[in-house]
Amino acid sequence: MLSVTRREQHSGCLSTGEQPCGRLSTEWGTDPWARGAYSAIPPGVDEAVREVISRTTVENRIALAGEYADPRYPATVQGAYVSGRTAAERVRAGRGSSAIVVGAGMAGLAAARELTSWGISVRVLEARERIGGRILTDRSLGVPVDLGASWVHGPQGNPLVALASQAGLDLIPCDWNNRVVRRCRDGADDPAAASAINRLKLLLDELGGSGGPPPHENVAGWLAERGWSSSGPDAWAVATVVEQDWARDADTLGVRAVSGGVSLDGGDDLIAGGYDRVPALLAHGLDIQLGVTVVRVGVRGRQVEVTRQDGSVEIADSVVIAVPLALLQAGLPIVTGLPENARSAIGQLVTGHLEKIVLRYERVWWGEHRVIGAVEEGTDPAARRWTTFCSHADVTGAPILVGFAGGSAAQARPSGENCAAEAHERLRRAYGAA
């Protein structure tokens, strides 16, 4: 496991004039092959739509896969992986000896690996010039930093744990309670904000119980009915817990987004060594063609036709379509013959937005805290992003903090160096030397 030497540790504040020596920022919202982070349920929609998508086939020859298609573990890498294997099982009923998988993210690679294990000849077509989808590891700062998926949620019984072990990766427990929270206004500790986090989590746990609220309610309204404030520490807690977990503003997030899925036991583990080694493990030995955009998929007779953007057509006995929700909604690819209930279910889900800022410093000035909270006054998007940073010092072996922005705050963030400057300024005001 990577580690940071004690000489790099410091339990004080940012020194005057100290700046990051390296920075990275994500652009998932404008990425043409992602168009956002992961799926979410808006107000008025029941979580049962995911079950509809997961069960959908076209003549037992076309199935859909992705984190949005898994009702048990939605919006997670685990959900994508499980959905890929489920989709492979559904098209297996179509028999035949050949299959095409559209998309080389975790769902697509899981489907391809499963189909291959049954002796089926599989080709994977991927629009990007790389595999992994929304798993993206960057090494430009000298160490592996995950810009997409970073965690294994609920490691107990999670198949990703075995995959990570096979890929030679370490899992680092992420203790969210190892937290320090300071106000940007005066740099003082903010116990009210720290307390609001704990109170909010307990309140949201009620949504997972039986007899929950009707699906037309949004999370912001549900919280307001229980006396939750839209300003001050309460607003900071919502930005941190709701917007940065479900990647949607609380007023555009349906209550069923919080209550859906099964409970994930065992907390959260961070991946050390580069998450991209997991899809690389799954991809080993597969026939994967990169830079191929598929525009249409449909059954014709006893086979499935897959039309590329250049007009060429490939034929297979079955197809698994494993592209992000936003692409499927945009008709990339168009799936002919899709049942109306499936089209409706796909159209009811939304894609959330979550962006990261990665700041590398010369030293670990924040001490041994895992979570660094910075409370900014106001409820505008600028105040609702970079509310919290996660230390990756023990994960990467370098003095690195990763900050988060969710929902509309993520969409409205500045780009490039301005993004890093905004996040660093937030930290300086909360933790700068007096």
Side-chain angles (χ1 to χ4, degrees), residues 239 243-244 247-249 353-355 384-385 404-410:
E243 295 180 6
Q244 292 166 27
R248 298 280 295 183
D249 291 3
H353 292 272
L354 179 69
E355 303 290 356
R384 294 183 358 254
R385 58 179 170 258
F404 306 95
S408 62

Side-chain angles (χ1 to χ4, degrees), residues 234-252:
D234 285 5
W236 177 83
V238 167
T240 301
V241 174
V242 176
E243 295 180 6
Q244 292 166 27
D245 276 8
W246 284 277
R248 298 280 295 183
D249 291 3
D251 60 353
T252 64

Side-chain angles (χ1 to χ4, degrees), residues 114-160:
E114 194 80 353
L115 291 164
T116 299
S117 72
W118 299 328
I120 296 172
S121 176
V122 181
R123 296 190 304 281
V124 182
L125 306 180
E126 167 58 48
R128 298 182 186 273
E129 294 296 340
R130 64 171 179 84
I131 66 169
R134 284 163 287 183
I135 292 179
L136 174 61
T137 306
D138 187 287
R139 293 174 172 81
S140 64
L141 296 183
V143 293
V145 178
D146 287 308
L147 300 182
S150 303
W151 281 272
V152 172
H153 300 292
Q156 294 182 11
N158 191 322
L160 295 180

Side-chain angles (χ1 to χ4, degrees), residues 39-42 45-58 62-72 74-75 79-80 82-91 107 319-326 328-329 335 338-351:
S39 66
I41 296 178
V45 177
D46 191 272
E47 68 267 28
V49 296
R50 297 190 191 276
E51 184 72 34
V52 172
I53 298 170
S54 73
R55 293 182 176 277
T56 294
T57 66
V58 179
I62 301 174
L64 306 175
E67 48 80 14
Y68 56 91
D70 185 68
R72 288 174 57 81
V82 171
S83 78
R85 301 184 69 177
T86 300
E89 184 66 45
R90 296 205 184 284
V91 298
V319 172
V320 172
I321 300 172
V323 301
L325 171 70
L328 198 61
Q329 291 173 331
V335 185
L338 202 61
E340 182 55 39
N341 68 333
R343 291 186 183 279
S344 175
I346 291 167
Q348 290 180 68
L349 291 173
V350 293
T351 296

Side-chain angles (χ1 to χ4, degrees), residues 272-362:
Y275 217 148
D276 62 348
R277 288 163 62 179
V278 173
L281 174 73
L282 292 175
H284 182 71
L286 295 178
D287 178 6
I288 302 176
Q289 299 177 35
L290 302 176
V292 177
T293 302
V294 173
V295 296
R296 184 179 295 272
V297 178
V299 175
R300 185 165 184 176
R302 293 182 176 274
Q303 293 181 307
V304 184
E305 291 186 341
V306 176
T307 305
R308 300 186 182 206
Q309 193 171 44
D310 63 8
S312 60
V313 178
E314 295 196 37
I315 302 295
D317 295 312
S318 59
V319 172
V320 172
I321 300 172
V323 301
L325 171 70
L327 293 187
L328 198 61
Q329 291 173 331
L332 285 173
I334 295 171
V335 185
T336 60
L338 202 61
E340 182 55 39
N341 68 333
R343 291 186 183 279
S344 175
I346 291 167
Q348 290 180 68
L349 291 173
V350 293
T351 296
H353 292 272
L354 179 69
E355 303 290 356
K356 297 181 180 180
I357 185 70
V358 179
L359 303 176
R360 175 168 183 164
Y361 290 90
E362 294 288 353

